[in-house]
Amino acid sequence: MTKPAIRCAAAVSLALLLAASAAAAQPADGGNAAYYVSADATEAGNGTRARPFRTLAEAELASATGDTIYLLAADRALDGAVVLKPSQRLLGLGPDGTVATDPDLRVAITNTTPPPGGVIVTLAARSEVAGLHFLDLGNHAISGARADYTGSHIHHITVSGNAAAHIEDERGLVYAISLAAESGMREEVRIEDSRFMDGEDLGAIRVFHSGNSRGRYLFQRNAFANLGGRAYFVRTQHTSRADTIILDSKAQNIGRGDRNSDSIIPYLMGQSEQVMLVRNYRFSNPNQEGNQSNTGIEAFMFGAPRPDQPNWCTGCRLTLKILDSVLEHAVTDPIQFSNSGRNSVLAYEIRNTRIIGGTPRQGGGGISLNLQRGPDSGGRTTLLVENTDVIGTDGYGFALNDRGGGPHDLIVDLGGGVLGSRGHNRFVDNGKGPLRVAGRRVTARHNWWGGGMPAAYGPDDRVAPEAEVLTEPVLTEDPR
């Protein structure tokens, strides 16, 4: 596929996802019946509001497709689980009888069944879950595993804490929401207006597509704080594809327990494909949580030197756009991209974004672009940066690292290049210098370097007069 065709396909994909998500803005129909559940109810309840059921199991047994299950506030958390039927709604009610959108009024729910049990809500097609506060997870709060969760809408929930005994992924984490598909289409899936917080072994939202499955997701207005795991973790494998839009979200202190928990990561394996848009994302790590691999945003192509060679990227495709965002005080590289695997086609775009502080310890830059060390990597990477600030990191403003792999087609346009960047970036007060490059051409015209001409450094961290960095003309006034 030619470069214009790739860009066009990515733009069309994002536009379709936005349109579909807007069209799906109304909740699922409530069905013909409503059932009520309260942890304070007596055993003689019949599911009415006056005599609610005491357990979710009773409501699950009594309800049918399209019905609504309401949870009422109680003096203690409701303990149990429910497997929803298609088009059912599970809603926590506030004192006024409406869905508890106020975080302080959300109905508490947990599941103390020992692992490997303990999932609280299992989704079905067109599920709606809202108004709940999930506590002390031993397993997922909400799961889409082995279920068709297409059209599901999760909103106005809170998740806090993990149980001492819980299921564990490869990093010892339990994710609050886990959505997985091996085949078919999962579309118009939305998670909105929700909070995830305060769990050293707790991650937030994980999506895993494998086989030939497809998924389209809208995540917006969510907040994450003091977690061991990632905020948004989207992984694709085999020939699957995921299209994800992340809007108006914020994350703070991600990576507790000295973990590598990049707050947003598109993670690709096999011949899979992702298109991801991140807009108005606010990331900060004032507590400096996480280890030296714990970036703010990372794109990861699975490959060498990892041992699982059958799942290495061999033709992965990723389009990632980061717009109108702020990343502050990352414990390592704030934004990092890599081309691991073979024959990957990667298109990155950063616009109108501010990167402030950070201690880059992987690629070495506020923005780091790493060409892998594996032989015959092949493929193509493009990076466009425009109207973006990289200020006050301990490393370089931008770092390009060629780690000795095979031939790879690369275009870096920080201004005035063939990708159309108009520049107007600011690379200021970065501890090691504005740029480190590695024998590749970088176009960086029409930028502000603090009032002078920028020095380009080589892989040995020494000024490299021979570096092919095209910076002139430079801006003579600060563009902000």
Side-chain angles (χ1 to χ4, degrees), residues 399-421:
L400 169 60
N401 304 294
D402 189 339
R403 293 172 170 170
H408 190 82
D409 187 7
L410 175 69
I411 300 175
V412 177
D413 184 359
L414 309 182
V418 296
L419 301 180
S421 171

Side-chain angles (χ1 to χ4, degrees), residues 49-223:
R49 182 153 191 170
R51 296 173 55 199
F53 290 134
R54 189 173 65 172
T55 68
L56 283 168
E58 293 173 282
E60 179 182 333
L61 183 64
S63 64
T65 295
D67 289 345
T68 300
I69 301 171
Y70 292 110
L71 304 190
L72 302 175
D75 292 334
R76 57 191 175 92
L78 182 66
D79 189 345
V82 61
V83 177
L84 296 177
K85 303 175 181 70
S87 298
Q88 282 193 335
R89 302 189 296 171
L90 180 68
L91 307 178
L93 296 183
D96 63 354
T98 64
V99 173
T101 58
D102 185 337
D104 294 333
L105 300 177
R106 292 173 185 169
V107 179
I109 184 171
T110 191
N111 188 345
T112 58
T113 303
V119 172
I120 301 176
V121 179
T122 300
L123 299 173
R126 301 173 301 282
S127 298
E128 182 181 0
V129 180
L132 304 178
H133 184 166
F134 296 88
L135 296 167
D136 301 329
L137 301 188
N139 206 318
H140 310 302
I142 300 173
S143 174
R146 297 179 295 279
D148 179 4
Y149 53 85
T150 194
S152 289
H153 186 198
I154 300 165
H155 61 100
H156 296 99
I157 69 165
T158 299
V159 182
S160 63
N162 55 265
H166 56 79
I167 63 165
E168 296 185 2
D169 69 1
E170 64 275 11
R171 299 181 188 274
L173 297 162
V174 53
Y175 271 81
I177 299 177
S178 181
L179 305 175
E182 298 178 358
S183 63
M185 183 72 182
R186 307 290 188 271
E187 57 185 340
E188 299 174 6
V189 179
R190 293 171 291 148
I191 303 175
E192 302 170 321
D193 300 297
S194 294
R195 306 201 308 174
F196 305 80
M197 59 190 187
D198 300 335
E200 184 164 316
D201 293 344
L202 178 64
I205 298 169
R206 183 182 68 184
V207 175
F208 185 14
H209 276 268
S210 60
N212 63 354
S213 63
R214 299 289 186 267
R216 293 165 56 183
Y217 301 88
L218 174 62
F219 304 143
Q220 62 180 337
R221 298 185 302 274
N222 300 308

